[in-house]
Amino acid sequence: MTQTLPQYIGGERVGADAPEASLNPSDTTDVVARVPKGGAAEVDAAVEAAKGAFPAWSEASPEVRSDLLDKVGDTILKRREEIGRLLSREEGKTLPEGIGETVRAGRIFKYFAGEALRRHGQNLESVRPGVEIQTYRQAVGVYGLITPWNFPIAIPAWKTAPALAFGNTVVLKPAGPTPATAAALAEIIWECGAPAGVFNMIFGPGSMGAKLVEHPGVDGISFTGSQTVGAGVAQAAVARQARVQLEMGGKNPLVILDDADLERAVMVALDGSFYATGQRCTASSRLIVQDGIHDRFVQALAEKVAALKVGDALDPSTQMGPAVSEDQMETSYRYIDIAKSEGGRVVTGGGRLQLEKPGWYVQPTLIADTDKSMRINCEEVFGPVASTVRVKDYDEALAVANDGDFGLSAGIVTTSLKHARDFQRRAKAGMVMINLPTAGVDYHVPFGGIRKSSYGPREQGFAAVEFYTQTKTAYSWA
């Protein structure tokens, strides 16, 4: 069934021509949704609606906000199968991955339902006798949220839930390839009783995102996407002194030391590099392997990669679904060609898949004999492509891991407590995984990187209050 999506503005479903199509990447003859192509007028209307709703929402009892978020979370969890299937059909994740992401979104809303009641402050002693000091947190205003396609319900959830929990109002601009999944979230938020204007969602081209970033009625911007676009978002937001938070991907290293448990190392690399079709900003795209275990590791991993069943995301036997779009598919194949031209050796994969259904399928690919300076090790591919770099010892492994401009996630597989703890301290990344995949994080703890992977306060967990509230300090004398 093909949906026709409206714009969600001010408590109304605003109908419009829907010339854009969201296609099923597992079967490109299947149109998931028809999507409106909005512009400046829709951005203005959504921002005005959010501004109008802000005073009442920010001054409401925190219990009102908590109850709404808890109801949204419960509703998402009850519909996990339905939404998970839609997500997999539209984005290309396998069905278990689609359902898992949906569950994560529900849990995020329920977590921030609790945080809405825990917006605390401090009582402090003044240096002046008779004077008391209090600090407390207040809502900021209207937040523009710009979200990517690779987690089409989880990332909108982890931006929307804290914004609403702390009394802000929202205009959400989701990514073009996955509008129906985002619309499912909008429908639930409205169905659960969000007042008109508190949550708005607009569909359209990237220029709408730029308009949202530049809009004088928007007090804060949270963006997840590429470094190139993120840099422009930051400049535009800072120019008018709006709050800004950026998550811009990674080129994440996974270090495998000689003392690693080989079976564990292969499992960690397979999960981190190839699950979700490698379309995760925390994916393990650089496998940095010590010389003594390198050949055995590459051989064992290649066998597992070659055995992965690629197919329709809704097929229960599929282990890896398609890329989300033709552009993403072609990007993966382009980087495979670049790696080969620079001297990389394709151990397994690298060819174009022709399956029964027309889709954007990429053969999972492992490339060995690469140098740390090759483009395959410096630029984000965002697909099921991993490369290995051979190193002589731990010190070289750490140095290679810390190369480059990214710094989102980094991992190490080792049985050495000394090296594990040293890596935890010295890896230049916002998140460090020890004997675990670099991809895969909990919803109730801070998420974010350093260097050019992230900018501004952390997302998720208890850290979210820093971005979505402002501190007021009050002095009194009696």
Side-chain angles (χ1 to χ4, degrees), residues 210-233:
K211 175 70 174 176
L212 189 62
V213 171
E214 296 165 359
H215 201 290
V218 174
D219 301 286
I221 294 288
S222 182
F223 166 86
T224 298
S226 69
Q227 278 189 355
T228 302
V229 177
V233 169

Side-chain angles (χ1 to χ4, degrees), residues 122-343:
Q122 294 178 307
N123 289 321
L124 303 169
E125 291 188 18
S126 173
V127 296
R128 294 169 287 175
V131 176
E132 294 185 353
I133 305 171
Q134 291 180 314
T135 69
Y136 54 98
R137 294 186 178 273
Q138 292 182 311
V140 175
V142 176
Y143 275 85
L145 311 179
I146 302 172
T147 59
W149 48 260
N150 62 322
F151 284 90
I153 193 167
I155 293 180
W158 83 46
K159 294 181 188 295
T160 298
L164 298 183
F166 302 131
N168 305 286
T169 55
V170 164
V171 178
L172 173 60
K173 163 68 174 69
T178 51
T181 306
L185 176 61
E187 292 284 354
I188 287 174
I189 292 173
W190 280 17
E191 174 189 316
C192 290
V198 165
F199 177 84
N200 308 273
M201 180 180 291
I202 51 177
F203 298 107
S207 58
M208 288 182 75
K211 175 70 174 176
L212 189 62
V213 171
E214 296 165 359
H215 201 290
V218 174
D219 301 286
I221 294 288
S222 182
F223 166 86
T224 298
S226 69
Q227 278 189 355
T228 302
V229 177
V233 169
Q235 290 175 353
V238 170
R240 60 181 190 84
Q241 297 181 317
R243 291 187 169 212
V244 64
Q245 175 189 69
L246 309 176
E247 294 296 343
M248 299 172 288
K251 191 65 186 174
N252 307 293
L254 177 66
V255 171
I256 313 293
L257 295 185
D258 281 351
D259 61 14
D261 178 292
L262 180 61
E263 184 177 349
R264 180 76 186 177
V266 169
M267 183 277 292
V268 166
L270 186 72
D271 182 317
S273 301
F274 298 100
Y275 286 9
T277 320
Q279 295 176 147
R280 298 184 284 186
C281 56
T282 51
S284 309
S285 50
R286 293 187 293 149
L287 307 177
I288 301 164
V289 191
Q290 195 172 353
D291 187 67
I293 198 174
H294 179 276
D295 292 349
R296 289 182 294 132
F297 170 80
V298 169
Q299 180 181 354
L301 179 59
E303 291 173 0
K304 294 288 187 182
V305 172
L308 287 174
K309 184 179 186 301
V310 180
D312 190 318
L314 297 177
D315 184 335
S317 68
T318 293
Q319 295 173 290
M320 194 185 90
V324 73
S325 67
E326 185 175 14
D327 282 349
Q328 285 302 127
M329 177 186 73
E330 292 299 337
T331 295
S332 291
Y333 285 123
R334 184 171 70 253
Y335 272 101
I336 291 168
D337 289 341
I338 290 169
K340 290 192 293 185
S341 71
E342 293 185 340

Side-chain angles (χ1 to χ4, degrees), residues 23 25 86-93 101 149-152 177-178 181 276 279 322-324:
L23 302 182
L86 172 63
L87 193 161
S88 295
R89 178 182 166 215
E90 184 174 52
E91 195 272 349
K93 282 186 171 73
E101 181 184 334
W149 48 260
N150 62 322
F151 284 90
T178 51
T181 306
Q279 295 176 147
V324 73

